[in-house]
Amino acid sequence: QMATGAVLVAVLLLLSSKDRPGARHMILPGACFGLAALCRSATIAFAIAIGASVLFSGGMSELRRGSLRAAFFALGIALALAPWAIRNHSVFGGPLLGSSLSGYNLFRHNASLGSTHFCHFVAAEEGQHYLDSLIQAHPGLTGRENEAEMNRLYASAGKEIITRHPGRYAMLCAYRALPLCTNWGVNEAYGKPAGPLDHLALVVQVGLLLLAAAGVAKGRIRGKRVLLLGVVLYAL
């Protein structure tokens, strides 16, 4: 929720900065995108899409101006992420790109690819079974590894599973559109039968998605392509 709020504020600031002279006004929108990424790292996808748009907004003829605005935009992102980067460097003795949970998520949510019924959300209990099996398969682990070291192990194991089942991985990614956009099957995976509020949330989400699709298709939305690119990158 905090990430969503930060993205929306960043977009509003970005729209207001378009009518103001000078590139320094791009710092604050960039900082808000950086704050969003601190809350949910995947929201950096919107910053990437908008950064590219800022860079090439005036075409090749105004690339110099676009480069300056994009540089201040990137500076804003960097300022927001700097405390986290400094913390990681201090704790791990080196930079850590992205979230230290990315490898864990990559492994946990794709470990089911080797099973018959792989198209489902992997909840904590099932995920713990996969994690225990992975740790048992690596007797060299001491139990003193830090989160960055474990993240590399999980990421490596997740990529190995995906490499073995590329077709199933593509199918699972397509299936994930359901739980990603509607929370479909998530509560059931945690042993909580879907209730009236779950069904209401699903109806609301589907309604919002249909309205968004209609708005993009027919409305004159400023930066429509950038918005769509951000959504696609975020989903990926």
Side-chain angles (χ1 to χ4, degrees), residues 5 12 18 25 49 53 58 62 65 73 92 105 114-115 172 182 196-197 206 210-211 230:
L12 289 173
K18 288 197 172 186
H25 301 298
S53 171
E62 295 189 21
R65 178 174 178 270
F73 180 72
F92 306 127
N105 285 321
S115 61
L172 183 57
T182 65
L197 287 178
V206 170
L210 291 174
L211 287 171

Side-chain angles (χ1 to χ4, degrees), residues 17 41 70 76 133 162 174 180 188:
S17 70
S41 57
S133 299
I162 293 170
L180 180 66
E188 288 88 338

